[in-house]
Amino acid sequence: MDRFHIEYNLLRRRKMSSLLSVVSHGAIQTLAAFATDFLWGSLHMLIHESGHMLAALMVGSRIKQVGISKIGPFVRRESARTPLRNAIVALAGPGINVLSWAVFLLFGLPHPWIALVLGLLNLLPLPNSDLMKSLSYMQRQQPD
């Protein structure tokens, strides 16, 4: 093989190597960003469920089970004595997410948007959202 072809092949390998390092560096950064967001999201889900648990204890409802299912963490509890108390427990999760968003913003903590998104998603009129659960409890309210 002549000198030109050897130098051309070396140059081509260096370019490929550089391209691969740029691509792999970008992939590593993307993976690291995803892992970071996942960890902060997990923290905010814990805060969310803690809001439900705290509210349940405050209205006199006993916690039966805390766990994680295929759709995320959950709290099972005894029903509170009134529909209003049940609705308060249902809305406590999104409420504490909005509160933690404000605290994260106030103190300059990272990724406050995750708390806000989690809280707002649970306030959308979607099946099994905390909003729909609270509305369901309030529909059971008997007029005085």
Side-chain angles (χ1 to χ4, degrees), residues 1-18:
M1 201 182 288
D2 64 25
R3 184 175 174 182
F4 171 77
H5 285 98
I6 292 171
E7 288 180 12
Y8 173 77
N9 285 336
L10 285 173
L11 182 62
R12 201 170 100 196
R13 285 186 193 146
R14 280 190 204 135
K15 283 184 179 178
M16 286 302 289
S17 176
S18 296

Side-chain angles (χ1 to χ4, degrees), residues 51-126:
H52 290 305
M53 288 176 17
L54 181 62
L57 294 172
M58 290 175 71
V59 300
S61 184
R62 190 174 71 85
I63 305 296
K64 292 180 177 179
Q65 183 183 14
V66 178
I68 299 175
S69 71
K70 61 184 173 184
I71 60 171
F74 65 88
V75 174
R76 287 200 178 105
R77 63 182 176 84
E78 288 179 348
S79 184
R81 286 186 294 233
T82 67
L84 177 60
R85 288 182 180 190
N86 283 318
I88 289 169
V89 173
L91 293 174
I96 202 164
N97 282 131
V98 172
L99 180 64
S100 66
W101 166 74
V103 169
F104 270 57
L105 276 181
L106 183 66
F107 290 103
L109 297 172
H111 304 282
W113 62 271
I114 296 174
L116 183 63
V117 168
L118 183 61
L120 293 178
L121 282 175
N122 275 280
L123 292 174
L124 290 175
L126 300 171

